[in-house]
Amino acid sequence: MGPISRRDFVRLGAGAVSVAAAAKSIALEPSVLAAQSAPSDRKIRFVSIGTGIRGCDLLRSAKKVQSGVCVGTADLYEMHRKAGVEAYGSEVPTTKDYRELLDRKDVDAVVVAVADFQHRHVVLDCVAAGKDVYCEKPMSHNVADGLAMVKAVQDGKRIFQAGSQRVSSTVFKKAAEIYKSGRLGEVTSIEAYTDRNSPSGAWVYPVAPDASAETIDWTTWLRDAPQRPFDAARFFRWRCFADYGEGVAGDLFVHLLSGMQCVTGINAIPERAYSTGSLTHFKDGRDFPDLLVTLYDYPGVRVNMHCNQNNAAGDITIFYGKESTLTINGNTLTVTSQDTRPQPEGYALDGWTAETKKKYLDDWHAAHPQAPAPLPATETYSAPQGSDDTADHLSNFFQAVVTREHVVEDEVFGNNCAIACHMANHSYFHKNVAMWDAASQTIKG
Ligand SMILES: NC(=O)c1ccc[n+]([C@@H]2O[C@H](COP(=O)([O-])OP(=O)(O)OC[C@H]3O[C@@H](n4cnc5c(N)ncnc54)[C@H](O)[C@@H]3O)[C@@H](O)[C@H]2O)c1
């Protein structure tokens, strides 16, 4: 920066001081969604298919939701069946064969938390049985699966909620409100990342001591995936393998993408995606890279996403606007306004004589008698203590099952996010730019 006169310093510095003094910290109101009963006071009777890691978490959250009650669970693994009952905390009937649950007339809805490659056939069975569905993210294992699920849900007039719970988070909802108010100015670029390049973050999950072909129905689990003998590591670490999961994109990008769609209101498939990455730390025979970086072109905005650059365990989304920057870091949202007041040039005056510089500055001040007052520098919003996005997301689904109105993350929203994940992987594995071809509904490149 070139020298700025004392007068400039006072003018600009005074502004900066008032900016800093205007920082605000606001606690968001707790969500009341989970505490609400269903509109008709009728509790939605739901069953859970898949009571592994996520299925149990969903059941724990479901206990807080007034509008639904779990009336059955299913899993192919003995211990997971017991864990599901334990997670819900009351005796619910449990079975190995989910079709028994779908045959029941007293069941309104199904929560599906099976591995990604199993989503399509389980969801299609639920829809065929006339049930509404909450299906875990990423909605699909590939583009064809997602399109088939959208068609089945729409043809069957079912309520469908995709399970990226941050769409129901108070912090993301506040961010959407701020974004829509136009306060950020034009947003031309968004950056989002999750860093957890640790064994647990990279899904090196332990094999349970009792896991065997006797305790796990491996044939049913594999269904139409490439057949292979029982492999406990694949059962517990399915995210690492392309036959069952979609790696970092399907596991982590999908949350970042759903958060981005929720805040911006963009509900579309990106026009193109370009990925790079590497398998750096976890060379254990997995199919996917442990570091993935993807650049997306969405209508009107560039999105830069990366996961596992290091092990900082951060989950951050940044919306860069011309007026302000909005950052969501875990449960905290910060809006930082930029100083957009006109300012006299500093640097370029370094090569000017004192006399020319003075004239320039005098003229500049004459043309800018007073700079507009700055916006507050930062506003920080934090999620209320004990907030549970999953409980709120389930609650939104149960309410919609009664009202038949829209959920916050329907099949089209979920499918758009999932296709963006598939495009990231397509680009990485084909070493090319992945383009969405709307005419053929396929990824090209
Ligand atoms: N929203 C989130 O934050 C979040 C977090 C973790 C996982 N997930 C998603 O949840 C899903 C499940 O992941 P997970 O970590 O719980 O996996 P998991 O392997 O721990 O559990 C899946 C369970 O599904 C069961 N299953 C599979 N096919 C079945 C069938 N035909 N009938 C009955 N049970 C069957 C398996 O036996 C297993 O116990 C995945 O789609 C994953 O991406 C979402």
Side-chain angles (χ1 to χ4, degrees):
M1 273 300 246
I4 289 182
S5 71
R6 193 172 177 282
R7 193 166 133 218
D8 288 322
F9 178 78
V10 170
R11 284 162 62 97
L12 298 173
V17 168
S18 69
V19 163
K24 277 201 281 186
S25 191
I26 302 147
L28 290 168
E29 289 291 315
S31 163
V32 291
L33 262 177
Q36 275 169 0
S37 43
S40 60
D41 270 355
R42 181 171 74 89
K43 274 189 192 282
I44 294 305
R45 296 170 65 81
F46 76 93
V47 292
S48 282
I49 303 179
T51 54
I53 303 170
R54 184 61 184 160
C56 285
D57 279 344
L58 282 157
L59 285 167
R60 275 186 279 272
S61 290
K63 285 194 291 187
K64 303 177 200 162
V65 181
Q66 292 307 310
S67 50
V69 59
C70 180
V71 294
T73 67
D75 203 286
L76 300 174
Y77 172 29
E78 232 169 74
M79 187 180 73
H80 282 174
R81 282 198 291 281
K82 289 184 191 150
V85 173
E86 219 172 87
Y88 198 61
S90 66
E91 272 306 320
V92 281
T94 182
T95 172
K96 205 173 96 169
D97 184 356
Y98 70 76
R99 287 167 307 182
E100 289 171 14
L101 303 177
L102 299 186
D103 287 342
R104 281 172 50 183
K105 297 280 172 280
D106 67 320
V107 169
D108 303 300
V110 186
V111 172
V112 177
V114 295
D116 303 350
F117 77 110
Q118 298 154 336
H119 288 180
R120 176 190 177 142
H121 69 250
V122 175
V123 168
L124 263 54
D125 284 351
C126 295
V127 169
K131 311 298 183 196
D132 296 315
V133 186
Y134 179 112
C135 175
E136 264 309 328
K137 63 83 223 168
M139 184 170 142
S140 66
H141 183 46
N142 52 47
V143 171
D145 280 10
L147 295 175
M149 290 159 79
V150 170
K151 182 170 177 353
V153 166
Q154 293 183 346
D155 288 354
K157 300 194 171 16
R158 294 296 95 207
I159 297 291
F160 181 96
Q161 174 97 296
S164 308
Q165 62 277 8
R166 73 178 46 183
V167 176
S168 288
S169 121
T170 44
V171 168
F172 276 81
K173 282 186 194 160
K174 184 69 195 176
E177 188 188 307
I178 294 169
Y179 191 99
K180 277 165 203 143
S181 75
R183 194 172 135 193
L184 304 184
E186 189 189 3
V187 176
T188 47
S189 123
I190 298 169
E191 184 180 4
Y193 57 97
T194 299
D195 282 325
R196 40 167 243 188
N197 213 3
S198 61
S200 174
W203 326 298
V204 189
Y205 298 155
V207 169
D210 73 341
S212 73
E214 280 69 54
T215 56
I216 295 170
D217 179 351
W218 177 248
T219 309
T220 307
W221 191 85
L222 271 184
R223 197 154 161 156
D224 46 13
Q227 300 300 297
R228 54 172 65 239
F230 177 70
D231 185 335
R234 282 185 170 246
F235 178 81
F236 289 98
R237 299 174 190 165
W238 55 261
R239 288 166 173 81
C240 303
F241 303 101
D243 287 342
Y244 325 120
E246 310 75 34
V248 165
D251 202 45
L252 303 178
F253 276 17
V254 68
H255 286 297
L256 305 175
L257 287 158
S258 57
M260 181 280 292
Q261 285 196 186
C262 159
V263 173
T264 58
I266 293 172
N267 189 2
I269 297 166
E271 290 145 25
R272 57 181 180 159
Y274 174 72
S275 298
T276 182
S278 58
L279 178 56
T280 310
H281 298 300
F282 298 98
K283 297 179 182 176
D284 51 8
R286 67 182 55 203
D287 296 331
F288 290 104
D290 49 21
L291 164 68
L292 188 66
V293 180
T294 303
L295 300 177
Y296 287 109
D297 275 329
Y298 274 94
V301 68
R302 302 321 109 207
V303 179
N304 160 5
M305 226 157 248
H306 55 92
C307 280
N308 296 350
Q309 208 105 276
N310 57 26
N311 190 22
D315 182 332
I316 295 175
T317 304
I318 309 170
F319 300 84
Y320 295 102
K322 285 199 105 166
E323 308 283 327
S324 297
T325 306
L326 189 158
T327 304
I328 303 171
N329 184 350
N331 280 330
T332 304
L333 179 170
T334 307
V335 188
T336 310
S337 61
Q338 295 179 42
D339 191 348
T340 54
R341 292 168 302 164
Q343 295 188 12
E345 176 59 39
Y347 174 67
L349 310 193
D350 280 1
W352 289 15
T353 61
E355 191 188 345
T356 320
K357 204 183 296 182
K358 180 177 179 309
K359 174 159 182 9
Y360 164 80
L361 288 171
D362 286 348
D363 288 350
W364 191 93
H365 289 304
H368 301 87
Q370 49 189 199
L375 294 166
T378 58
E379 254 175 46
T380 303
Y381 298 85
S382 41
Q385 286 276 317
S387 59
D388 182 338
D389 300 342
T390 299
D392 288 338
H393 210 48
L394 281 167
S395 173
N396 173 259
F397 169 65
F398 294 144
Q399 308 275 339
V401 170
V402 175
T403 62
R404 313 311 290 171
E405 280 168 14
H406 248 69
V407 288
V408 287
E409 194 182 359
D410 68 7
E411 66 283 356
V412 173
F413 186 119
N415 191 40
N416 288 343
C417 289
I419 290 176
C421 301
H422 304 322
M423 287 174 71
N425 282 334
H426 185 103
S427 171
Y428 176 81
F429 286 112
H430 288 78
K431 296 189 187 312
N432 209 345
V433 176
M435 309 285 295
W436 177 246
D437 183 44
S440 64
Q441 297 279 286
T442 56
I443 302 171
K444 302 263 197 233

